[in-house]
Amino acid sequence: MYDFAYQKPASVADAVKLLGDDPDAKALAGGQTFIPVLKQRLAKPSTIVDLGKLDLRGITVGADTVTIGAMTTHAAVASSEELKAKIPGLQELASWIGDEAVRHRGTMGGSLANNDPAACYPSAALAMDATIKTDRREIKADDFFQGMFTTALEPNEIITSITFKVPQKSAYEKFRNPASRYAIVGVFVAQHANGVRLAITGAGQGGVFRHTAFEQALSSNFSPDAIAGIATPPDDLNGDIHASAEYRAHLINVVARRAVAKAR
Amino acid sequence: MGFEGIGASVRRKEDARFLSGRGHYTDDINRPGQLYAFIKRSDRPHARIASLQTAQAAAAPGVVAVFTGQDMAADNVGGLPCGWQIHNKDGSPMAEPPHPVIAIGKVRHVGDPVAVVIAESRQAAKDAAELLEIEYDDLPAVATTLDALEPGAPTVHDDVAGNVCYDWHIGDKGTVDAAFARAAKVVKLELTNNRLVPNAMEPRAALGDFDTSSGDFTLYTTSQNPHVIRLLMGAFVLHIPENKLRVVAPDVGGGFGSKIYHYAEEAIVTWAAGKLRRPVKWTAERNESFMSDAHGRDHVSTAEMALDADGTFLALRVATIANMGAYLSTFAPCVPTYLYATLLAGVYKTPAIYAEVKAVFTNTVPVDAYRGAGRPEATYLLERLVDVIAHDTGMDRVEIRRKNFIPADAFPYQTPVALQYDSGNYEMTLKAALDAADFAGFEARRAAARAKGKLRGIGISTYLEACGIAPSAVVGSLGARAGLYEVANVKVHPTGSITVYTGTHSHGQGHETTFAQLISDQMGVPIDQIEVVHGDTSKIPFGMGTYGSRSLAVGGSAMVKAMDKIIAKGKKIAAHLMEAAVEDIEFDKGTFKVAGTDKSKTLTDISLAAYVPHNYPIEELEPGLDETAFYDPKNFTFPGGCHVCELEIDQETGVVEMVNFVAVDDVGRVINPMIVEGQVQGGVAQGIGQALLENAIYDSNGQLLSGSFMDYTMPRANDLVNISVGTEITLCTHNPLGVKGCGEVGAIGSPPAVMNAVIDALKEYGIRHIDMPATGAKLWEILQANRPKMAAE
């Protein structure tokens, strides 16, 4: 990696200031994407602002919502019994990210801010109508994800917590890239009192997206059969050496049906 | 101490240090004043280097030197040599274009070295490398095996017309053509053997050192055969005589063939250490490994079997195109010829075989031996062809194999493609494997799987391989530029402990344990008093290294010979001490006895007398108990066996899930069953990887698309299944231990078993053949394409 200056501020305000004062400064959360990028010299930040000292960890389970600190690791999410009882799909999703080492470093806020089109968490945020809280405002998940590696965040804006609406039932199902184990198609389905939300990650050219045709069908009949006949056009889907757009289109249906079948 | 001789599942002595992080690898070695080399590599598949300016990089902070291919050539550094010469059909030698250590004039594959930056730190070297000013004139590239032979294809080397390295053949074409003319049926199959990236756990590294006082060079390197590196690099590249060049290969974290070869980086750091009078270290990053370690396999073949009406094999005809990559790696030419086409008889008594092999250059990383080396390619071709014969003729796939097996009483058996098998019993391993896999009960399991929406298949492979390489005179006559004997030096120390120095090299095989067991068994010394030393040319008399499952069959046999000398000398000493005739001394597990009496001496009594020769036959016997033996094998060894794979395909996604894998192998006498089991399991894991997951994919322009673990699918534990390993043995008849070798059988026997199972699972879809790897995406497309046909039926 290239040389850089290193800062580890003690407050969110200090972190925001450091990032704001230097347009080439970058925030470091868990670093599970960012550090490999640095090691391969694909980024050359002047300063790294390590968010590790900020008090942004923890899972708060309320009656209708669950709020998770942005610096909470995947391992913490995966091992929370309280969360497992409340939103089993989210707990399961976290348990499948990367490997044990990645899960003990990687954070929910880092994943959402990066918005990798094959990352798992963005689908959960969309499906559970999450509110992403930052140092300066609240952003609805529907407004937050703006295309591959692009979000509504301003350059020096830091996610502090994420609040999910607790669904009646939820599930995450992931068809993994055989090599990287990222999602080729990941489906988060959440059945809410006012309807079903279902988001797809890994497949879309523009990153995570809600599958409205599935949502409508499932809202009136929450069963795999309800979506069995709904095809997804491959036009806006990714194709690569692991899966063509047509295969992804097909897998979206298969994976979504499996997610619905196991939702609880 | 429990039983720890031949046949004991002793835990590996070396594992304590490997598993606790105390292994000592090349990158763990640091020398005072050490510099770091960073190799600037081509990102172009094929280009003329129009301009290469190094001044800015050389002036960067911490940089000590920047060298180019021109600099090395100007210092009389030679190109990387090829260790095997193949001859064309017409008797002319193969094309052998120069392989400069650092590219001169042109780059020929992504990863080809363009310059080396040497600095006080890795970081400084890497920073400076970005200041190299390189202008390329891109040239059209040829990336795939088949494209290389297209009329008008770009040529990788100006003086190699049509990219053909050689056009070779073996067997009697006339006899084969005649058999095809009278055959009742001919079955033809076209298939590819996918290109693989070896991916040893430890990336390659090299550290060159120069002793300014003695003028001696030392190279520490991740090698499977340090003496071969000393020979090739000293004699052909750097012109350093053996007495001034030491090569050390310390703990090495896996090789699978990829660490046999003499690589550019070894020559660069050794030469630079001499130039700069300071040690120079290079360690590969993983992405460099993908573009600079020799790849494996990459064949495109057509196979045809002529059959009579009852399914008896009459003749086999094979045409193969093998990809050499951009340059000839050390042993590349022999892999698709003498390690491949000579294996095409397999376990069958096919009376006539003709094979022709064209080796081609492409703008890709050089291809060389990878676990199995040629034999997996032959086995895959043959065992797929046999299943396709069963498919096309409607014959039972087990019965057609049985009908054509070389029978157990036919050994020694001369094949029509040069090899003479010494021993084997293919019915024995077949039966054991079918029983262990409950082959007979499969159809019930298929039906049960069907009920839950899964397509279940079972596949078998009855294979044979040739290893324990190899008789020097034979390989010499076939083009090898080296002998392939092995060397052992057994030192019995004064107090009876033993150090054995072997020319083989362990990089995961467990030699420190297996060889200690072998010595213990013969000499009666506990294994903790036996040290096995390998990997240092300054300690070991000589050696050809470890590959081709040769270490025990050849290296172990050398140890037996050395021990025989120790015992013969010990008997003379014992006879003197006990005042008996030498002929009356018997030796058994550490004790010298006078036959028919209760008089005896221990090995320690004898060794002490040998080193403290106060009462000693000094007139006729030298002191000491230290013997060296060179062993040149009389033949290859021929392990074989049967692998059975059972798996399911998810009809909705095409994804394969392993259900069961059974390997029953005849590896000859087994020294350590636990190590054999581990070796076979590791090999099968790689074979399953090749069949289902791994694929080195180049795009048509010569960029490696699967150039990292993000895109190259290494098998993980949850891609596999418990691999049940059994052995049913016949002894090798021509080495003193009766051993054959177990290092590669797993990777050789398993890919066709897996693919035969995949295709069996798709039985109702009428699928005849699928090329590896059988990924979910590929199988889904096949299911899609064939589903309408099924519906119409």
Side-chain angles (χ1 to χ4, degrees), chain B residues 658-688:
Chain B
M658 298 293 296
V659 174
N660 191 25
F661 197 99
V662 171
V664 176
D665 303 294
D666 174 3
V667 297
R669 190 187 306 285
V670 172
I671 308 292
N672 183 322
M674 186 159 53
I675 287 181
V676 169
E677 185 181 17
Q679 283 283 312
V680 173
Q681 288 177 329
V684 169
Q686 282 175 309
I688 293 171

mmCIF file of all heavy atoms in Angstrom, chain B residues 658-688:
data_model
loop_
_atom_site.group_PDB
_atom_site.id
_atom_site.type_symbol
_atom_site.label_atom_id
_atom_site.label_comp_id
_atom_site.label_asym_id
_atom_site.label_seq_id
_atom_site.Cartn_x
_atom_site.Cartn_y
_atom_site.Cartn_z
ATOM 1 N N MET B 658 -21.580 -32.915 -3.547
ATOM 2 C CA MET B 658 -20.968 -34.236 -3.378
ATOM 3 C C MET B 658 -21.747 -35.015 -2.318
ATOM 4 O O MET B 658 -22.145 -34.456 -1.286
ATOM 5 C CB MET B 658 -19.515 -34.087 -2.912
ATOM 6 C CG MET B 658 -18.602 -33.365 -3.886
ATOM 7 S SD MET B 658 -18.317 -34.289 -5.414
ATOM 8 C CE MET B 658 -17.466 -35.718 -4.762
ATOM 9 N N VAL B 659 -21.927 -36.300 -2.568
ATOM 10 C CA VAL B 659 -22.616 -37.147 -1.599
ATOM 11 C C VAL B 659 -21.649 -38.145 -0.988
ATOM 12 O O VAL B 659 -21.655 -38.398 0.218
ATOM 13 C CB VAL B 659 -23.793 -37.894 -2.262
ATOM 14 C CG1 VAL B 659 -24.410 -38.886 -1.289
ATOM 15 C CG2 VAL B 659 -24.839 -36.905 -2.766
ATOM 16 N N ASN B 660 -20.793 -38.716 -1.814
ATOM 17 C CA ASN B 660 -19.878 -39.743 -1.312
ATOM 18 C C ASN B 660 -18.711 -39.872 -2.283
ATOM 19 O O ASN B 660 -18.883 -39.686 -3.497
ATOM 20 C CB ASN B 660 -20.611 -41.093 -1.207
ATOM 21 C CG ASN B 660 -19.798 -42.134 -0.448
ATOM 22 O OD1 ASN B 660 -18.950 -41.796 0.375
ATOM 23 N ND2 ASN B 660 -20.045 -43.395 -0.744
ATOM 24 N N PHE B 661 -17.550 -40.155 -1.742
ATOM 25 C CA PHE B 661 -16.405 -40.420 -2.608
ATOM 26 C C PHE B 661 -15.597 -41.551 -2.004
ATOM 27 O O PHE B 661 -15.220 -41.515 -0.837
ATOM 28 C CB PHE B 661 -15.512 -39.182 -2.780
ATOM 29 C CG PHE B 661 -14.588 -39.313 -3.969
ATOM 30 C CD1 PHE B 661 -14.902 -38.719 -5.188
ATOM 31 C CD2 PHE B 661 -13.435 -40.094 -3.889
ATOM 32 C CE1 PHE B 661 -14.083 -38.894 -6.295
ATOM 33 C CE2 PHE B 661 -12.617 -40.268 -4.990
ATOM 34 C CZ PHE B 661 -12.939 -39.668 -6.203
ATOM 35 N N VAL B 662 -15.371 -42.570 -2.804
ATOM 36 C CA VAL B 662 -14.597 -43.728 -2.355
ATOM 37 C C VAL B 662 -13.398 -43.903 -3.280
ATOM 38 O O VAL B 662 -13.548 -43.920 -4.506
ATOM 39 C CB VAL B 662 -15.452 -45.012 -2.397
ATOM 40 C CG1 VAL B 662 -14.596 -46.248 -2.141
ATOM 41 C CG2 VAL B 662 -16.587 -44.934 -1.386
ATOM 42 N N ALA B 663 -12.228 -43.992 -2.687
ATOM 43 C CA ALA B 663 -11.015 -44.291 -3.457
ATOM 44 C C ALA B 663 -10.433 -45.585 -2.929
ATOM 45 O O ALA B 663 -10.231 -45.723 -1.724
ATOM 46 C CB ALA B 663 -10.004 -43.164 -3.311
ATOM 47 N N VAL B 664 -10.209 -46.527 -3.818
ATOM 48 C CA VAL B 664 -9.470 -47.738 -3.433
ATOM 49 C C VAL B 664 -8.270 -47.816 -4.364
ATOM 50 O O VAL B 664 -8.418 -47.946 -5.579
ATOM 51 C CB VAL B 664 -10.325 -49.005 -3.525
ATOM 52 C CG1 VAL B 664 -9.473 -50.236 -3.203
ATOM 53 C CG2 VAL B 664 -11.510 -48.921 -2.569
ATOM 54 N N ASP B 665 -7.092 -47.653 -3.780
ATOM 55 C CA ASP B 665 -5.889 -47.517 -4.580
ATOM 56 C C ASP B 665 -4.888 -48.623 -4.255
ATOM 57 O O ASP B 665 -4.779 -49.063 -3.108
ATOM 58 C CB ASP B 665 -5.239 -46.155 -4.313
ATOM 59 C CG ASP B 665 -6.201 -45.008 -4.593
ATOM 60 O OD1 ASP B 665 -6.566 -44.840 -5.763
ATOM 61 O OD2 ASP B 665 -6.603 -44.323 -3.636
ATOM 62 N N ASP B 666 -4.173 -49.018 -5.291
ATOM 63 C CA ASP B 666 -3.051 -49.943 -5.117
ATOM 64 C C ASP B 666 -1.779 -49.116 -5.232
ATOM 65 O O ASP B 666 -1.343 -48.786 -6.337
ATOM 66 C CB ASP B 666 -3.100 -51.025 -6.200
ATOM 67 C CG ASP B 666 -1.874 -51.932 -6.162
ATOM 68 O OD1 ASP B 666 -1.027 -51.750 -5.262
ATOM 69 O OD2 ASP B 666 -1.769 -52.816 -7.036
ATOM 70 N N VAL B 667 -1.240 -48.740 -4.085
ATOM 71 C CA VAL B 667 -0.044 -47.898 -4.086
ATOM 72 C C VAL B 667 1.194 -48.713 -3.713
ATOM 73 O O VAL B 667 2.223 -48.173 -3.363
ATOM 74 C CB VAL B 667 -0.203 -46.697 -3.126
ATOM 75 C CG1 VAL B 667 -1.330 -45.801 -3.598
ATOM 76 C CG2 VAL B 667 -0.447 -47.151 -1.695
ATOM 77 N N GLY B 668 1.054 -50.054 -3.796
ATOM 78 C CA GLY B 668 2.162 -50.888 -3.361
ATOM 79 C C GLY B 668 2.210 -50.932 -1.841
ATOM 80 O O GLY B 668 1.236 -50.568 -1.165
ATOM 81 N N ARG B 669 3.359 -51.359 -1.309
ATOM 82 C CA ARG B 669 3.463 -51.474 0.157
ATOM 83 C C ARG B 669 3.270 -50.106 0.794
ATOM 84 O O ARG B 669 3.752 -49.098 0.288
ATOM 85 C CB ARG B 669 4.830 -52.035 0.541
ATOM 86 C CG ARG B 669 4.922 -52.397 2.023
ATOM 87 C CD ARG B 669 6.320 -52.790 2.460
ATOM 88 N NE ARG B 669 6.916 -53.858 1.661
ATOM 89 C CZ ARG B 669 6.593 -55.146 1.730
ATOM 90 N NH1 ARG B 669 5.655 -55.550 2.561
ATOM 91 N NH2 ARG B 669 7.205 -56.026 0.968
ATOM 92 N N VAL B 670 2.532 -50.095 1.898
ATOM 93 C CA VAL B 670 2.237 -48.842 2.592
ATOM 94 C C VAL B 670 3.130 -48.730 3.820
ATOM 95 O O VAL B 670 3.162 -49.634 4.659
ATOM 96 C CB VAL B 670 0.744 -48.809 2.995
ATOM 97 C CG1 VAL B 670 0.455 -47.611 3.889
ATOM 98 C CG2 VAL B 670 -0.140 -48.776 1.744
ATOM 99 N N ILE B 671 3.848 -47.627 3.928
ATOM 100 C CA ILE B 671 4.703 -47.418 5.103
ATOM 101 C C ILE B 671 3.877 -46.813 6.232
ATOM 102 O O ILE B 671 3.898 -47.285 7.355
ATOM 103 C CB ILE B 671 5.895 -46.479 4.777
ATOM 104 C CG1 ILE B 671 6.662 -46.971 3.544
ATOM 105 C CG2 ILE B 671 6.818 -46.331 5.999
ATOM 106 C CD1 ILE B 671 7.407 -48.256 3.700
ATOM 107 N N ASN B 672 3.120 -45.745 5.919
ATOM 108 C CA ASN B 672 2.303 -45.077 6.939
ATOM 109 C C ASN B 672 0.886 -44.886 6.385
ATOM 110 O O ASN B 672 0.638 -43.992 5.580
ATOM 111 C CB ASN B 672 2.932 -43.724 7.310
ATOM 112 C CG ASN B 672 2.164 -43.024 8.423
ATOM 113 O OD1 ASN B 672 0.932 -43.076 8.480
ATOM 114 N ND2 ASN B 672 2.891 -42.367 9.312
ATOM 115 N N PRO B 673 -0.051 -45.725 6.815
ATOM 116 C CA PRO B 673 -1.413 -45.665 6.242
ATOM 117 C C PRO B 673 -2.075 -44.297 6.425
ATOM 118 O O PRO B 673 -2.821 -43.848 5.556
ATOM 119 C CB PRO B 673 -2.173 -46.743 7.030
ATOM 120 C CG PRO B 673 -1.123 -47.661 7.550
ATOM 121 C CD PRO B 673 0.099 -46.819 7.776
ATOM 122 N N MET B 674 -1.773 -43.638 7.530
ATOM 123 C CA MET B 674 -2.417 -42.335 7.773
ATOM 124 C C MET B 674 -1.915 -41.297 6.759
ATOM 125 O O MET B 674 -2.689 -40.468 6.266
ATOM 126 C CB MET B 674 -2.116 -41.865 9.200
ATOM 127 C CG MET B 674 -2.848 -40.614 9.600
ATOM 128 S SD MET B 674 -2.975 -40.404 11.398
ATOM 129 C CE MET B 674 -1.286 -40.549 11.925
ATOM 130 N N ILE B 675 -0.621 -41.358 6.452
ATOM 131 C CA ILE B 675 -0.081 -40.410 5.465
ATOM 132 C C ILE B 675 -0.625 -40.736 4.076
ATOM 133 O O ILE B 675 -0.973 -39.834 3.310
ATOM 134 C CB ILE B 675 1.466 -40.412 5.516
ATOM 135 C CG1 ILE B 675 1.930 -39.706 6.793
ATOM 136 C CG2 ILE B 675 2.053 -39.740 4.268
ATOM 137 C CD1 ILE B 675 3.429 -39.612 6.967
ATOM 138 N N VAL B 676 -0.748 -42.013 3.760
ATOM 139 C CA VAL B 676 -1.334 -42.380 2.461
ATOM 140 C C VAL B 676 -2.765 -41.855 2.369
ATOM 141 O O VAL B 676 -3.166 -41.270 1.358
ATOM 142 C CB VAL B 676 -1.292 -43.915 2.255
ATOM 143 C CG1 VAL B 676 -2.132 -44.321 1.050
ATOM 144 C CG2 VAL B 676 0.148 -44.386 2.081
ATOM 145 N N GLU B 677 -3.511 -42.028 3.441
ATOM 146 C CA GLU B 677 -4.893 -41.550 3.428
ATOM 147 C C GLU B 677 -4.932 -40.034 3.190
ATOM 148 O O GLU B 677 -5.713 -39.541 2.372
ATOM 149 C CB GLU B 677 -5.588 -41.895 4.760
ATOM 150 C CG GLU B 677 -7.063 -41.530 4.772
ATOM 151 C CD GLU B 677 -7.753 -41.850 6.089
ATOM 152 O OE1 GLU B 677 -7.057 -42.059 7.110
ATOM 153 O OE2 GLU B 677 -8.995 -41.884 6.102
ATOM 154 N N GLY B 678 -4.062 -39.311 3.872
ATOM 155 C CA GLY B 678 -4.019 -37.855 3.706
ATOM 156 C C GLY B 678 -3.593 -37.458 2.308
ATOM 157 O O GLY B 678 -4.151 -36.532 1.711
ATOM 158 N N GLN B 679 -2.600 -38.159 1.765
ATOM 159 C CA GLN B 679 -2.140 -37.851 0.408
ATOM 160 C C GLN B 679 -3.260 -38.091 -0.605
ATOM 161 O O GLN B 679 -3.470 -37.287 -1.511
ATOM 162 C CB GLN B 679 -0.931 -38.720 0.053
ATOM 163 C CG GLN B 679 0.359 -38.251 0.695
ATOM 164 C CD GLN B 679 0.935 -37.041 -0.014
ATOM 165 O OE1 GLN B 679 1.042 -37.019 -1.227
ATOM 166 N NE2 GLN B 679 1.284 -36.024 0.733
ATOM 167 N N VAL B 680 -3.958 -39.204 -0.458
ATOM 168 C CA VAL B 680 -5.030 -39.508 -1.409
ATOM 169 C C VAL B 680 -6.164 -38.493 -1.248
ATOM 170 O O VAL B 680 -6.696 -37.972 -2.238
ATOM 171 C CB VAL B 680 -5.541 -40.959 -1.230
ATOM 172 C CG1 VAL B 680 -6.765 -41.208 -2.110
ATOM 173 C CG2 VAL B 680 -4.438 -41.952 -1.559
ATOM 174 N N GLN B 681 -6.502 -38.172 -0.011
ATOM 175 C CA GLN B 681 -7.590 -37.207 0.196
ATOM 176 C C GLN B 681 -7.238 -35.844 -0.396
ATOM 177 O O GLN B 681 -8.071 -35.198 -1.034
ATOM 178 C CB GLN B 681 -7.909 -37.081 1.695
ATOM 179 C CG GLN B 681 -8.618 -38.319 2.222
ATOM 180 C CD GLN B 681 -8.888 -38.265 3.710
ATOM 181 O OE1 GLN B 681 -8.133 -37.665 4.459
ATOM 182 N NE2 GLN B 681 -9.947 -38.923 4.135
ATOM 183 N N GLY B 682 -5.996 -35.421 -0.196
ATOM 184 C CA GLY B 682 -5.577 -34.139 -0.762
ATOM 185 C C GLY B 682 -5.637 -34.156 -2.277
ATOM 186 O O GLY B 682 -6.088 -33.197 -2.911
ATOM 187 N N GLY B 683 -5.185 -35.252 -2.859
ATOM 188 C CA GLY B 683 -5.220 -35.372 -4.315
ATOM 189 C C GLY B 683 -6.646 -35.393 -4.839
ATOM 190 O O GLY B 683 -6.961 -34.747 -5.850
ATOM 191 N N VAL B 684 -7.512 -36.112 -4.150
ATOM 192 C CA VAL B 684 -8.918 -36.168 -4.579
ATOM 193 C C VAL B 684 -9.554 -34.785 -4.460
ATOM 194 O O VAL B 684 -10.319 -34.362 -5.340
ATOM 195 C CB VAL B 684 -9.707 -37.220 -3.761
ATOM 196 C CG1 VAL B 684 -11.205 -37.092 -4.007
ATOM 197 C CG2 VAL B 684 -9.233 -38.632 -4.097
ATOM 198 N N ALA B 685 -9.204 -34.052 -3.413
ATOM 199 C CA ALA B 685 -9.749 -32.694 -3.266
ATOM 200 C C ALA B 685 -9.359 -31.853 -4.475
ATOM 201 O O ALA B 685 -10.178 -31.099 -5.020
ATOM 202 C CB ALA B 685 -9.238 -32.049 -1.979
ATOM 203 N N GLN B 686 -8.114 -31.987 -4.920
ATOM 204 C CA GLN B 686 -7.698 -31.237 -6.105
ATOM 205 C C GLN B 686 -8.400 -31.751 -7.355
ATOM 206 O O GLN B 686 -8.731 -30.978 -8.247
ATOM 207 C CB GLN B 686 -6.177 -31.299 -6.255
ATOM 208 C CG GLN B 686 -5.492 -30.329 -5.296
ATOM 209 C CD GLN B 686 -3.982 -30.435 -5.309
ATOM 210 O OE1 GLN B 686 -3.431 -31.518 -5.173
ATOM 211 N NE2 GLN B 686 -3.307 -29.317 -5.441
ATOM 212 N N GLY B 687 -8.635 -33.056 -7.406
ATOM 213 C CA GLY B 687 -9.347 -33.619 -8.555
ATOM 214 C C GLY B 687 -10.793 -33.162 -8.612
ATOM 215 O O GLY B 687 -11.325 -32.844 -9.685
ATOM 216 N N ILE B 688 -11.430 -33.114 -7.451
ATOM 217 C CA ILE B 688 -12.803 -32.595 -7.400
ATOM 218 C C ILE B 688 -12.785 -31.124 -7.783
ATOM 219 O O ILE B 688 -13.668 -30.636 -8.504
ATOM 220 C CB ILE B 688 -13.421 -32.814 -5.997
ATOM 221 C CG1 ILE B 688 -13.611 -34.320 -5.728
ATOM 222 C CG2 ILE B 688 -14.755 -32.077 -5.866
ATOM 223 C CD1 ILE B 688 -14.018 -34.659 -4.295
#
